[in-house]
Amino acid sequence: ALVSGNAWVNGHAEVYGNAWVYGNARVFGNARVRGNAIVSGNAWVSGYALVYDYAQVSGDTLVSGYAQVSGNALVYGNALVSGNAWVNGNATATGLVQSVTTYKNNITVTDNHIIIGCQCHTIEHWKANIDRIGKDNGYSKQEVKAVKRVLNGLLSLRKENS
């Protein structure tokens, strides 16, 4: 692990593996940065947040709570990832990341992606394939219908706030 520049790690936070924290980045609380992840710029990672794999967090981003950023995800700009949000795969987040926890899985909406459980796809892909993906993952027709309602609500809020 490497911490350089004006970056700091404080509290019970940990940076390990090949992870790199630099610039004015802050990692504190019980947050963890591991694997080949990079946290840079003025980004803050706090609470119990976890950044790992090849994920990159930069700019004026805040990743907090129990949020996770993993895979090849890019979180930058003025992004806010909090609560139980999970940004993974090839998802990109530059603004507010919306997250809802359902009885079955976490649902996270980023700029162009929706993540439900461990499935990360573009918004368009979800719209075209949600019935099949739901069925393949053990969702009943009623559960898929409920997820569609949640997604429609999140996407409507996103439009209103953009």
Side-chain angles (χ1 to χ4, degrees):
L2 177 64
V3 178
S4 66
N6 292 321
W8 54 259
V9 177
N10 194 9
H12 296 287
E14 297 178 351
V15 176
Y16 52 98
N18 293 315
W20 192 13
V21 178
Y22 66 95
N24 293 311
R26 308 285 187 249
V27 179
F28 57 98
N30 292 294
R32 290 173 289 157
V33 179
R34 68 177 193 218
N36 293 293
I38 297 172
V39 178
S40 64
N42 295 312
W44 285 17
V45 180
S46 67
Y48 289 88
L50 176 59
V51 179
Y52 62 104
D53 292 336
Y54 291 89
Q56 296 182 36
V57 175
S58 63
D60 293 316
T61 297
L62 172 61
V63 179
S64 65
Y66 289 91
Q68 294 185 34
V69 180
S70 64
N72 293 307
L74 300 174
V75 178
Y76 61 96
N78 292 310
L80 172 60
V81 183
S82 63
N84 292 313
W86 186 15
V87 180
N88 70 347
N90 293 314
T92 299
T94 61
L96 176 64
V97 173
Q98 299 166 297
S99 180
V100 174
T101 302
T102 68
Y103 72 97
K104 199 158 189 173
N105 276 310
N106 218 33
I107 299 173
T108 302
V109 179
T110 70
D111 297 8
N112 298 308
H113 290 81
I114 296 171
I115 301 111
I116 301 176
C118 62
Q119 296 282 326
C120 176
H121 302 289
T122 64
I123 293 170
E124 294 76 24
H125 184 85
W126 274 109
K127 286 180 177 180
N129 298 286
I130 192 166
D131 292 313
R132 181 189 51 78
I133 295 170
K135 183 179 178 187
D136 291 350
N137 286 278
Y139 281 72
S140 69
K141 288 182 181 181
Q142 291 84 3
E143 290 170 329
V144 170
K145 190 175 181 181
V147 169
K148 285 181 181 179
R149 284 195 301 263
V150 169
L151 287 177
N152 286 336
L154 290 173
L155 294 172
S156 291
L157 282 171
R158 186 171 216 68
K159 276 186 183 176
E160 289 176 16
N161 293 318
S162 60

